[in-house]
Amino acid sequence: MAARAGIQYLIDEVRRLSGAGTAEYSVGTVSYFTDDQIQRILDSRRVRLARHEIEYEPERSAGGGTVVYKHARIGYGWLEDTSAGGTTADCMLTDSTGSIIGTANYTLSAVDGFITFKNDQHGSVRYFTGWAHNPYKAAVDVLTAWLGELSRQPDFQTDNMRVWRSQMTARLQQQIDMLKEMGGLAPALQVTYVDRSDIQPSEWPTETPKTTRIPT
């Protein structure tokens, strides 16, 4: 099945982050990772925004005149793109009465959730309804499945070939750790340096470090 319209750029981002192709390994007769498989992973991690009020960036018109409202932020990125049409539950912009605002009236940057309206909105309330995805979490899911498959396969060597799958698993684990930090799944380790205020440095034993590292 082909990927849903408006989500292809997210699938491409997951491939960029994970380095996964369409036939990295097979389980039975099924090869991984097709676009449809990555789409399902993305959908399992997505967040629903229902009539989520956008936030304007008020500006002065040319010459410092009246305040105009032509730019706004949704507050979420990696959105299901309005290139799909902007009239479905996957992604749409509505006014206070629930009427859908056509995509000819605005441009959405789906990556960061920034909206540029064609005309001044005069501060009128606008709502976004759609899906926000997390390609970092999806890439971690892809790599974790890939890592699990490789870990079940042994290293081997023949007269003219040597295959060390353990090196590949180590590389995938490094990618997973990096993506967890990038995606906010695992905070970066912080180190605090603490000195003993009740002991003079001259009284410290020579074999004891003068600074203790305490991870927080």
Side-chain angles (χ1 to χ4, degrees):
M1 183 175 69
R4 215 166 42 242
I7 202 175
Q8 185 62 54
Y9 88 100
L10 288 156
I11 294 172
D12 294 341
E13 183 65 14
V14 172
R15 291 199 189 282
R16 184 186 72 83
L17 292 169
S18 65
T22 59
E24 296 299 346
Y25 65 91
S26 297
V27 178
T29 59
V30 180
S31 295
Y32 295 89
F33 297 89
T34 65
D35 282 0
D36 185 49
Q37 290 161 351
I38 293 179
Q39 177 180 290
R40 289 200 300 270
I41 293 172
L42 281 163
D43 287 351
S44 72
R45 296 291 192 172
R46 63 185 179 177
V47 174
R48 180 67 173 172
L49 303 176
R51 284 184 63 79
H52 177 78
E53 186 175 346
I54 68 173
E55 183 176 348
Y56 286 107
E57 294 184 357
E59 304 167 79
R60 289 286 180 182
S61 60
T66 58
V67 176
V68 294
Y69 299 82
K70 297 183 68 174
H71 297 97
R73 290 190 177 276
I74 294 173
Y76 292 84
W78 302 112
L79 303 170
E80 196 125 343
D81 198 351
T82 50
S83 63
T87 58
T88 70
D90 291 333
C91 185
M92 61 182 177
L93 202 62
T94 58
D95 61 19
S96 58
T97 67
S99 297
I100 296 175
I101 300 172
T103 53
N105 298 302
Y106 66 94
T107 300
L108 170 66
S109 174
V111 173
D112 58 2
F114 188 75
I115 302 172
T116 301
F117 289 97
K118 184 176 181 180
N119 300 308
D120 181 14
Q121 301 299 294
H122 306 289
S124 299
V125 179
R126 299 288 182 258
Y127 298 96
F128 175 82
T129 296
W131 297 103
H133 295 266
N134 191 324
Y136 298 101
K137 288 184 178 181
V140 167
D141 282 2
V142 167
L143 290 172
T144 300
W146 191 358
L147 175 63
E149 176 61 25
L150 284 175
S151 66
R152 290 189 287 269
Q153 302 177 25
D155 296 338
F156 68 89
Q157 182 174 353
T158 64
D159 292 339
N160 57 2
M161 182 172 61
R162 183 172 61 181
V163 176
W164 299 136
R165 293 192 177 93
S166 56
Q167 294 182 2
M168 182 65 173
T169 59
R171 184 182 69 80
L172 291 179
Q173 186 59 61
Q174 290 176 347
Q175 279 187 271
I176 290 172
D177 294 341
M178 177 189 67
L179 288 170
K180 283 183 176 180
E181 184 173 336
M182 293 174 65
L185 301 180
L189 178 66
Q190 297 181 352
V191 177
T192 301
Y193 294 90
V194 179
D195 293 336
R196 286 286 302 272
S197 60
D198 58 330
I199 299 178
Q200 294 296 322
S202 59
E203 298 175 349
W204 290 347
T206 56
E207 69 275 11
T208 302
K210 295 184 180 181
T211 302
T212 303
R213 294 188 177 188
I214 303 176
T216 57

